[in-house]
Amino acid sequence: SSVFEVTAPGIASELHTYVATDAPIKFVVLKLRNRSGRPRRLSITGYCELVLGSNRAANLPHVVTELDAKTGGLFARNAYNSEFAARVAFLDCSEQRRTITGDRLEFLGRNGSTARPACLSRARLSGATGAALDPCLAMQVTLDLADGEEREIAFTLGSGRDLADARHLVHRFRGTEPARIAL
């Protein structure tokens, strides 16, 4: 488990990262406290670049992303990787209201970088998923925090043996309480 603490003007944050001991899940849990003296609206984004094979460049054309209709999780798979063809990687979040993209170009922007991603200057992610994209998993939530309010948001990154297992893991670990229990 790792913990990172930062205090920006009026917002205190703690970021905890750890893995489950009994499942292929990584947790990224962000705790925010509004100490600014006024209501604040914040945007929080989880982002993962995908390999889904031994080499990103070689596997990139074969990775397909999708928003899973049954769980609301953002899924990715590479059916052309013989070793992991059935596996489904996913990103999920404890917040139900969210926007997503599976398009790294949209997230970063033309000539963009992870230091200054273009998506942070927009109100929402487009929802683009599918084949023929530079694939990624990105999920964004917007929070309204009253003065003095504290909130916790949990992102889960995982990998299911197949679609059914990925859906099971999303349901099992969704929310801040399963993340606390896993810690």
Side-chain angles (χ1 to χ4, degrees):
S1 174
S2 297
V3 180
F4 304 90
E5 295 182 42
V6 175
T7 300
I11 303 291
S13 65
E14 290 177 21
L15 182 72
H16 298 255
T17 63
Y18 51 95
V19 296
T21 58
D22 62 343
I25 299 285
K26 177 180 180 178
F27 296 95
V28 179
V29 181
L30 181 63
K31 186 184 290 186
L32 298 166
R33 290 179 208 87
N34 182 359
R35 297 178 176 161
S36 68
R38 62 187 174 90
R40 300 290 296 270
R41 173 167 282 178
L42 304 173
S43 177
I44 298 97
T45 306
Y47 169 75
C48 306
E49 292 190 7
L50 300 168
V51 177
L52 302 185
S54 59
N55 174 302
R56 178 169 161 73
N59 287 282
L60 186 101
H62 308 295
V63 175
V64 178
T65 57
E66 69 175 313
L67 180 63
D68 183 56
K70 289 193 176 183
T71 64
L74 184 55
F75 287 9
R77 63 184 106 200
N78 179 356
Y80 290 93
N81 182 306
S82 58
E83 191 176 350
F84 301 107
R87 294 202 74 85
V88 177
F90 62 86
L91 178 66
D92 191 50
C93 180
S94 58
E95 297 294 311
Q96 293 300 306
R97 289 186 9 221
R98 57 186 97 177
T99 61
I100 59 101
T101 188
D103 183 359
R104 184 172 173 263
L105 179 60
E106 173 193 346
F107 183 85
L108 296 178
R110 188 172 306 284
N111 302 318
S113 72
T114 53
R116 292 185 68 92
C119 75
L120 297 185
S121 64
R122 298 187 197 112
R124 54 181 284 119
L125 299 175
S126 72
T129 60
L133 299 173
D134 183 354
C136 74
L137 297 177
M139 191 169 281
Q140 188 173 70
V141 299
T142 301
L143 297 178
D144 290 309
L145 284 178
D147 182 38
E149 185 178 2
E150 180 175 294
R151 290 280 300 273
E152 199 170 67
I153 301 94
F155 287 94
T156 51
L157 174 65
S159 176
R161 291 183 305 277
D162 53 28
L163 180 59
D165 188 45
R167 286 175 170 159
H168 168 75
L169 291 169
V170 167
H171 282 300
R172 178 179 167 202
F173 290 103
R174 176 172 281 157
T176 55
E177 187 60 25
R180 261 186 239 112
I181 291 167
L183 180 61

